[in-house]
Amino acid sequence: MDHGMLAEIWLWILAMVLAATVILDGFDLGVGILCLIEKDESKRQSMVASIEGVWHANQTWLVVAGGVLFGAFPRAYGMLLSSLYIPSGILLLGLMARGVGLEYYEQSESKRAWSTLFGLGSLVVALAQGAMLGAVMQGLPMAGHQQFLTPFAWVTPGAFLGAMAMVCVVATLGAGWLAATVQDFGLRKAAILFSLAGLLFQAGLAICVPATGIVALAFGAVSAAYLAWAVTAMASGAVFFLPACLHVLFGLVAWLIALRPGFVEPGLTPLNASAAFGSLKIMLWGFGLTLPVIIGYTIYQYRVFMGQGAYSPGHDH
């Protein structure tokens, strides 16, 4: 196995970890965003209860994604972080806000304030993550080192469309999770609007980047078909979490294929952005030993805490 093949393996490992982050951490971000729409505090309580036992495990994948990018592609990590300090800082503030909101929610008598903080924190995290992904997809302007370090170089149409698309996608996942875990899910209309808006923002991002290629287009079409399935299942009252997850998974694969052979625009490929051959090889052994542990405790946590939510009967929105 040569250096180029090892870099490609790590690229797909990074893609797999990002997919796990978007899907698993995404649905509890979506639950937080949907909390901002739900007016009935008793229903908010059921929504928060549905993720209380699993959101810590979900956030593990965000840490793993950062670790893989730092260890396997240090040059890309350095370039991205120095260009994305502001959205990265906003992301951290959002993570702190949602964590504080969740931890104090059960202990406080002012539950409305803490569930709102949890929702706002979730919204900020989704916006920051989407803006960073959109900016990277469109390509960060780097005409020399000075311009590269311009604090707002990441503010592009791609960043805006990526931020809006991420909010809609995670809200759809959150709705799917709630439909599967709580009783009498009542935010179907809002969930359908988020689903359709997410598709439109992704289409706008594909035009803005631009994303091309028959294979990528095919995966994008499959992704859209799964979203149509999810919306149909949602309208009939059936569980739609699985097709919503498949919509996100196929959409991410479509984006990865569309952006190849590049990695981080402009100019970086997996090979020239990767760590030394020996480092990648040692990391592969370490990742292979660690991954089953992470998957194992994630599954265990879901088995222990699944079914805690109890959505009370109520009205539709």
Side-chain angles (χ1 to χ4, degrees), residues 102-214:
L102 274 174
E103 295 295 340
Y104 280 87
Y105 181 78
E106 284 301 323
Q107 308 299 325
S108 173
E109 294 182 357
S110 304
K111 294 189 180 301
R112 187 85 182 171
W114 295 112
S115 62
T116 300
L117 180 63
F118 162 59
L120 290 174
S122 301
L123 179 62
V124 168
V125 171
L127 285 170
Q129 289 179 341
M132 287 191 285
L133 281 175
V136 171
M137 286 176 179
Q138 187 171 4
L140 296 166
M142 292 187 297
H145 194 62
Q146 187 175 359
Q147 186 174 345
F148 174 62
L149 293 176
T150 302
F152 295 100
W154 58 275
V155 181
T156 61
F160 170 76
L161 292 168
M164 300 308 294
M166 182 65 80
V167 169
C168 294
V169 166
V170 298
T172 302
L173 288 169
W177 172 259
L178 291 173
T181 56
V182 300
Q183 298 176 4
D184 193 20
F185 172 64
L187 294 172
R188 294 190 185 88
K189 291 179 182 177
I192 291 172
L193 289 176
F194 274 122
S195 302
L196 298 178
L199 199 60
L200 290 176
F201 283 123
Q202 288 186 70
L205 185 60
I207 296 171
C208 182
V209 167
T212 58
I214 297 297

Side-chain angles (χ1 to χ4, degrees), residues 201-295:
F201 283 123
Q202 288 186 70
L205 185 60
I207 296 171
C208 182
V209 167
T212 58
I214 297 297
V215 178
L217 188 61
F219 273 93
V222 173
S223 172
Y226 275 119
L227 182 63
W229 177 17
V231 170
T232 304
M234 195 187 313
S236 65
V239 173
F240 63 91
F241 185 54
L242 177 61
C245 291
L246 292 173
H247 157 65
V248 174
L249 181 62
F250 276 85
L252 289 171
V253 173
W255 277 111
L256 180 60
I257 293 173
L259 296 173
R260 298 304 316 275
F263 176 42
V264 175
E265 295 294 339
L268 280 189
T269 65
L271 179 58
N272 65 25
S274 66
F277 177 77
S279 300
L280 293 180
K281 205 170 178 180
I282 292 172
M283 282 179 56
L284 196 59
W285 279 103
F287 186 78
L289 293 173
T290 307
L291 184 63
V293 177
I294 298 173
I295 293 175

